[in-house]
Every structure is written in C-alpha cells, then in structure tokens.
Amino acid sequence: MGGADARIVRNTALVILALVALRLVAAAFTPITFDEAYYWMWSKNLAGGYYDHPPMVAYVIRAGTMIAGDTELGVRLVSILLALPMSYAIYRSAAILFGGARVAATSAILLNATLLAAVGTLIVTPDAPLLVASSFVLFFLAKVLETGRGVWWLAVGAAVGAALLSKYTAMFFGPAILIWLAAVPKLRRWFLSPWPYLGGLVALALFSPVILWNADHQWVSFAKQLGRARIEDFRPVFIAELIPTQIAFATPLVFILGAMGLHALTWRRAGALASRVLIETMFWTIVAYFVWHSLHARVEANWFAPVYPPFVIAAAAAANLVQWKPRARRLVDFCLRWAAPAGIVMFAALIVQANTGILSGYRRDATVRSVGVGWRELAAEIEAVRARTGATCVLAPDYGTTGWLAFYLPRGTCVVQQNQRIRWVNMPEPDPKQLAGKLLYVDELREGGHPAVNDLFAEMTQVAQLQRKRGPLVIETYGIDLLEGAKGDVLDRSPPPEAR
C-alpha cells in the first residue's frame, strides 16, 4: 500500500470512528423508541423467532445490555459498534469490485453519512443487523469473484443466513445472486459446482431456528410478514412516498450520487461486467419488490436497508471512475465534498429535534410519537399512582406502551399487554396472583372509554390523568384506570388474524 493509499485508509478510519462516537453519545441521552422497548423485552426471553420478526435484533440488544446494562446506551451499544465491521465490508467490497482506495473510502464514508446508517444503527430495529449482514453478503460475493474459490460460497451462505435471522427481506438475496450468475457468462460455471448449493445449506441451517419456531406457532410470523401486500389491495397512492423518503434517508447528496452511479453502471458500462452486474442485481431485485409492494401497501423508508451497500458503491463509482461532462462533473464534485458534512448536520438536527422539539418551535413532528421523550417522568408518576392504589400489575393495550412501561417503570414491576398475547408467547405467563388483585390500566384518553376492558371487571375507576410532554408540547394524555373484581381471565387470548 502506497503512502497516499495509507493516508486514505487512516483518514477514512478516523472519520468512521468519529461518527460512531457521535452515535454513542446520542444513544446515551436519547430515550428509546417504542419499538426498541418492545425488542428489549424480546431480549430478556431469547427464542428462535417472534411474532413480528426473526430473532437477531433481540440477540444484538441482549449483547449490549450485558455490557452496559438496561439503559438506552446498553440497548443500542452493539448495534452502533456493528457499523465498524459493516464499514470494513463495504470498503473491501468496493476495493475488489472497482479497484483503488479512493473508491473504497468513498463508499464507506458515504454509507455512514446516510441517515439510514446513522439513525438505523442508533435506533435498534431488525434493519440494523440486516444492513450489516447485507454488507457482508456483498463482500463475500466480491471475494467469490476475486478469488474464484468455491469456499467463499460458505461465507456467502453464512452472511445470507445472518441476514435472514435479521429480517425476511433477505430472502431476495437468493434471486439476486442467481440473476448475477446467469447474467455474467464467466460465472455460469458455478451452477455446475457444489459450492453455491453448500452455501445455500449453510444459510438454511442458520435460518432453521426461525423455521422451527414458526412450525411450532402456526407459521404466524411468516404469515404476518409475507402476507403484508396482497394483490387484491391495489392502492398505488403509496408509491408516491418511495422517492421522497429515500432522498431523506439517503440524504439528498448521497442520493444524487447513487442515482448517477446506477445510471453510469447501466448506460456507461463503468467497471467490469461482473462487478457492475453484481451491484445492479443486489440493488434492483429488492427495489423491484418494494415498488410492487408499494402498489398495495405502505413501504417504510428503513425497509430499503439491504440495498444501501450496493447503492453507496455505485455512488462512489460515479464520483471517482466516470468521466462526466463539465456540468455533471461540478455536480458530482459538489455532492462528494458536502455529502458527509450534510449527513452529519442532518443527523445532529434530527437528534436535537427528537429530544427537544426546539427546531419546530415545539410543534409536532415525525419523531414525537415514536421516541420516548417524557416517558421517564411519566413512568415515575404512574409508579406513584400504582403504589398509592396498591395495584399489583399494570396493563396496557398495545405493545409500544407495554414496552415503554416495562423499560421505565422500576425493574420487576408486573407489566402486561392485555390483548395480542401472541406477541409475548416467548415470555413466561404473568403470575395469576398478580392479575387477581387491583390492576392499573394505562392508555391514552379515548372518547367512549374502554368498554371491552370495562366488561371484564366489576369496577373500573379513573384515578389519574397524566401527560407525556416534550418541552411545552403535550404529546399524549393518558388515563390511568383502577381495575377491580376480575370476572374471569383478564387477558384476551384470541388468536391473531394470521392464525385463524
């Protein structure tokens, strides 16, 4: 490695370490989201699968809390640190596919500059480990291309298996790899080799706990996720959300570079055939599915996580390898210079806004419902009501409220979601003695009250109205009801729609 390349590697490593440190600081003081609280509860009862997703997110959270405790930082620690091996995988992938330390460094930095990577590793969801695993799928496929050695297919299988343990979206890696092999003449020999099939067996073996868990639970997780977009639900309005949300999550300058890179790979034949086809198939196979999905149901912006590794490598290729006309060159140079600073500013602004609301003048924004600002104070007030009334357990109507209550109430407090019991099938059932006494029911104030819950008890008395606030903004007002005299089973054990 020459002196110039060594400086590029060193500077890239320093930039990525600084970004990871920034995320760790943000993680320590940003309250967890309701999804994170829910997955944290999963991590206390590890299993081969869960109602919503495969188990990797629970493993990641469990590892972090074993190091830093049941804190916001503990929940997020390992997810954020996984950005380091993710960055290595992207760096090496780009170096193998398109050559040179500059393309590799640009790819790694651009990925870390996106909100999807910055916020997506800070806010721990299944997309965080999926993004990391997707980076290694691409890296190991690049190693197959570079070395021609079949043993790398076992590594590909391991990475795909880890991706499948993160989220079912990873199933599209299979078709993408097959299209790549079929589209590049020199790679078709692998269809006659045992190595790709052995790699498939490795992926299947790693994914088998999820299959076994579903087999024991009426295939409920598969049915829930794979049945999201039904053909009869044709609602093309959702497709209008795709590009604006991806511009925001990629950050505008990275999005421009990525779009130019994909154009260059397809129409300008930038790079070797096998390299550019690999990037294109890993990107477009999954994007094609989400475009189809958006014709029937909403596609959340973070679901695109597995296409970001090939996307940023395409962006780096556009910035460093393509001979653009002067006007386009100026645009590329501008985007390349300011992409990382712009991404950092957007990330910092988002964290400040989520925690304080100051940037919107304390008005509502997209973060106000999901980030648990105010929950620590609210939970202290709920605990005071619980102690005053002698309630032995706290009930909630949804998984988000249940997760926040469990995380912010004193450890060991009985907290139970009253309905949708399939979500908690991996957890021990609550002690019947705790459900037999006085109970608190915590839910937002609703017109008409809670007749379904009221019918289960002889008495239901509102004992408090408490507010969750971010600065002067009242986010929600909760009614705290005291339930007494249970007439039967307190918990609604109706099967979910997927199991009926």
Side-chain angles (χ1 to χ4, degrees), residues 140-488:
F140 294 141
L141 288 170
K143 291 299 292 184
V144 169
L145 181 61
E146 179 189 39
T147 67
R149 296 179 58 195
V151 71
W152 281 106
W153 282 108
L154 302 183
V156 172
V160 172
L164 286 167
L165 286 174
S166 303
K167 204 170 184 181
Y168 298 130
T169 312
M171 70 177 63
F172 291 102
F173 286 138
I177 292 170
L178 292 176
I179 294 170
W180 177 54
L181 295 180
V184 180
K186 72 175 184 178
L187 298 179
R188 293 170 190 163
R189 68 181 181 87
W190 287 116
F191 286 119
L192 302 178
S193 168
W195 288 108
Y197 307 103
L198 291 174
L201 289 176
V202 171
L204 182 62
L206 288 173
F207 187 58
S208 61
V210 181
I211 299 174
L212 294 174
W213 185 92
N214 271 274
D216 287 339
H217 296 87
Q218 299 177 281
W219 308 101
V220 65
S221 184
F222 289 161
K224 174 180 170 58
Q225 294 297 342
L226 302 182
R228 279 181 178 269
R230 296 171 298 181
I231 294 176
E232 61 268 23
D233 296 335
F234 184 71
R235 289 178 290 176
V237 64
F238 294 118
I239 199 169
E241 300 177 1
L242 286 186
I243 292 180
T245 56
Q246 289 314 303
I247 290 174
F249 266 60
T251 71
L253 301 186
V254 175
F255 185 88
I256 291 170
L257 285 175
M260 293 178 74
L262 291 169
H263 174 270
L265 292 179
T266 302
W267 300 108
R268 296 198 172 202
R269 303 293 191 265
L273 175 64
S275 296
R276 66 174 185 262
V277 172
L278 176 59
I279 294 298
E280 291 170 331
T281 55
M282 295 293 281
F283 180 86
W284 289 113
T285 304
I286 295 176
V287 168
Y289 165 72
F290 282 134
V291 169
W292 176 85
H293 187 114
S294 69
L295 295 174
H296 306 87
R298 173 169 282 110
V299 174
E300 301 295 340
N302 54 294
W303 293 0
F304 281 85
V307 309
Y308 270 66
F311 186 70
V312 296
I313 292 178
N320 295 283
L321 299 180
V322 180
Q323 297 298 317
W324 299 100
K325 292 182 179 180
R327 186 174 181 179
R329 183 73 251 176
R330 287 193 296 272
L331 175 61
V332 167
D333 289 343
F334 176 84
C335 292
L336 184 59
R337 173 174 292 184
W338 295 106
I344 294 169
V345 169
M346 290 178 67
F347 173 74
L350 183 61
I351 295 301
V352 169
Q353 175 64 15
N355 280 276
T356 68
I358 191 171
L359 300 181
S360 65
Y362 301 105
R363 291 186 291 272
R364 288 185 176 272
D365 69 313
T367 68
V368 74
R369 291 279 293 182
S370 58
V371 179
V373 173
W375 253 103
R376 191 176 299 278
E377 296 77 12
L378 176 62
E381 296 179 87
I382 293 172
E383 172 60 15
V385 174
R386 189 201 65 77
R388 173 168 55 83
T389 58
T392 54
C393 197
V394 181
L395 303 185
D398 58 80
Y399 76 86
T401 305
T402 303
W404 269 329
L405 285 166
F407 191 83
Y408 286 112
L409 285 175
R411 296 289 177 260
T413 303
C414 174
V415 177
V416 179
Q417 182 177 352
Q418 188 269 334
N419 55 1
Q420 296 184 337
R421 296 305 302 161
I422 187 63
R423 293 186 181 275
W424 313 102
V425 69
N426 296 321
M427 297 183 64
E429 280 289 296
D431 187 343
K433 293 180 181 178
Q434 291 179 305
L435 295 180
K438 296 179 181 180
L439 307 175
L440 283 189
Y441 189 73
V442 178
D443 191 16
E444 293 181 57
L445 283 178
R446 302 182 189 277
E447 187 175 346
H450 308 283
V453 177
N454 190 36
D455 291 343
L456 297 174
F457 295 88
E459 296 183 45
M460 183 173 183
T461 307
Q462 188 171 104
V463 291
Q465 290 187 12
L466 303 176
Q467 295 177 335
R468 178 164 82 95
K469 302 178 70 176
R470 186 178 70 181
L473 174 68
V474 176
I475 301 171
E476 298 123 354
T477 300
Y478 287 87
I480 314 299
D481 295 293
L482 183 65
L483 308 177
E484 298 180 83
K487 300 176 182 178

Side-chain angles (χ1 to χ4, degrees), residues 24 27-28 32 36 39-40 42-44 46 55-82 121-122 124 129 407 411:
L24 289 171
I32 62 173
E36 289 178 293
Y39 302 140
W40 169 78
W42 287 7
S43 76
K44 298 304 177 185
L46 297 179
M56 185 66 82
V57 66
Y59 301 158
V60 168
I61 292 174
R62 179 66 169 268
T65 55
M66 289 175 66
I67 298 169
D70 291 318
T71 62
E72 286 88 349
L73 179 60
V75 168
R76 295 161 170 161
L77 178 63
V78 169
S79 176
I80 294 172
L81 293 179
L82 283 174
T121 55
L122 169 66
V124 190
F407 191 83
R411 296 289 177 260

